[in-house]
Amino acid sequence: MLVGRLAPTPSGLLHLGNVCAFAGAWLSARAADGRLLLRIEDVDRERARPDVEQALRDDLAWLGLTWDVETPRQSARDYAPALARLAPRLYRCQCTRAMRAAPLPDGAGCQGRCDGKGYATGAVRFRLEAGSLSFIDCRWGPQHADPRRFGDPILVRRDGLVSYNLAVVADDIDDGVNDVVRGSDLLEYTAVQMQLWSALDAAAPRWLHTPLVLGADGRKLSKSHGSAHVGAMRDAGATPADVWRLVLPWLGIAGATSLAEAVPRWEPSGGPLGPITVSASGADL
Ligand SMILES: [Zn+2]
């Protein structure tokens, strides 16, 4: 059975880029008669806010982005077992912020500096294997990437906080997720995460990266694009049908005004690759 997930981060309000990715996950699960999970990604506890989480839940409900079961939030999970399994490929990194910001030797990650030094403290990094990696994205087609150009990912920060990279992979494996639909900003980084899936002896999921949605200034949607947020659009008088009329064409479904109407027309490879630029104002609807 196909198992997908909605995985909102309660540090920022729901914007049109999130809606596009969540709609893709929802349609992918519903069209396959699969299961859809909700997981609150609050691994970065310092940035997670209860009021933002409630607003996210309200926005999801308003849009009809429902789920079948909610799995434990990241802050309630124990990542020690995953770290123990990855131990042979972990090392402590004592690079300073400035060293991390400096250009790395070609494809070396931090290995030339800290790997093999046997430091007892510092951030925990995962040693990537060399060589390019291929996978198929349902929308983008065959992808080839050398994950080492990103450098060895940090799995545990210097202050002990588990990173998103470890949490998202360990959670997807624990939750039995086999269909990951998310924004294209993570497309290239998928190769890094696939090494984690493999090192945890799990088969990688099916990947689908939805179009990146940019503000009129050409930048990824963020807090500064207030009017591209679902709550702001609702306050400006937009209805869920207005939102779907705007967003569903980005997934290749034009003219539909509800998710239910879109299900029979869902094609994972449909729609533009993106990026999509929105003037992003409720008043435009
Ligand atoms: Zn280092």
Side-chain angles (χ1 to χ4, degrees):
M1 182 192 267
L2 183 146
V3 181
R5 54 23 172 219
L6 305 176
T9 304
S11 57
L13 295 168
L14 198 71
H15 59 58
L16 291 173
N18 306 133
V19 174
C20 182
F22 289 169
W26 194 95
L27 289 166
S28 185
R30 297 298 177 230
D33 229 353
R35 285 178 89 208
L36 192 63
L37 316 176
L38 177 76
R39 182 174 70 230
I40 301 293
E41 300 214 317
D42 61 349
V43 71
D44 191 345
R45 293 169 204 204
E46 292 161 15
R47 295 182 61 211
R49 285 171 43 191
D51 57 325
V52 171
E53 180 180 327
Q54 189 53 54
L56 284 168
R57 289 176 183 273
D58 293 347
D59 289 344
L60 292 173
W62 184 70
L63 289 168
L65 284 164
T66 53
W67 55 90
D68 300 307
V69 63
E70 180 167 353
T71 63
R73 61 182 53 245
Q74 290 183 326
S75 59
R77 296 187 188 226
D78 177 13
Y79 295 98
L83 285 166
R85 296 188 70 178
L86 295 170
R89 289 175 65 179
L90 302 182
Y91 63 94
R92 294 279 188 172
C93 166
Q94 294 198 345
C95 293
T96 61
R97 191 182 292 263
M99 287 164 78
R100 287 206 304 270
L104 291 162
D106 184 35
C110 156
Q111 293 170 4
R113 295 183 190 134
C114 302
D115 195 9
K117 300 274 173 62
Y119 295 135
T121 58
V124 175
R125 281 192 196 260
F126 173 70
R127 186 185 312 112
L128 292 173
E129 285 172 349
S132 72
L133 196 149
S134 299
F135 64 96
I136 295 175
D137 182 87
C138 291
R139 178 175 300 269
W140 292 81
Q143 301 290 306
H144 310 281
D146 182 355
R148 291 220 306 172
R149 74 188 185 82
F150 292 99
D152 294 341
I154 289 176
L155 301 192
V156 184
R157 294 181 352 190
R158 188 190 305 248
D159 61 8
L161 209 61
V162 168
S163 77
Y164 166 78
N165 276 313
L166 173 62
V168 72
V169 174
D171 294 349
D172 279 340
I173 292 171
D174 286 349
D175 291 347
V177 170
N178 55 23
D179 188 55
V180 171
V181 181
R182 57 186 185 180
S184 293
D185 48 331
L186 288 163
L187 179 64
E188 292 188 336
Y189 209 70
T190 300
V192 171
Q193 293 183 343
M194 283 181 72
Q195 287 214 9
L196 283 167
W197 280 81
S198 168
L200 288 166
D201 294 323
R206 187 175 78 157
W207 303 100
L208 193 164
H209 288 84
T210 56
L212 198 59
V213 183
L214 308 176
D217 57 0
R219 301 177 67 169
K220 251 182 78 177
L221 291 183
S222 69
K223 274 179 199 153
S224 62
H225 303 93
S227 60
H229 288 76
V230 171
M233 294 169 72
R234 184 173 57 228
D235 292 347
T239 64
D242 293 326
V243 175
W244 293 127
R245 207 178 287 117
L246 179 68
V247 171
L248 288 171
W250 304 342
L251 298 169
I253 303 167
T257 55
S258 74
L259 284 169
E261 199 184 322
V263 171
R265 296 169 58 190
W266 167 251
E267 260 305 324
S269 61
L273 291 179
I276 308 287
T277 303
V278 289
S279 58
S281 161
D284 292 345
L285 294 169

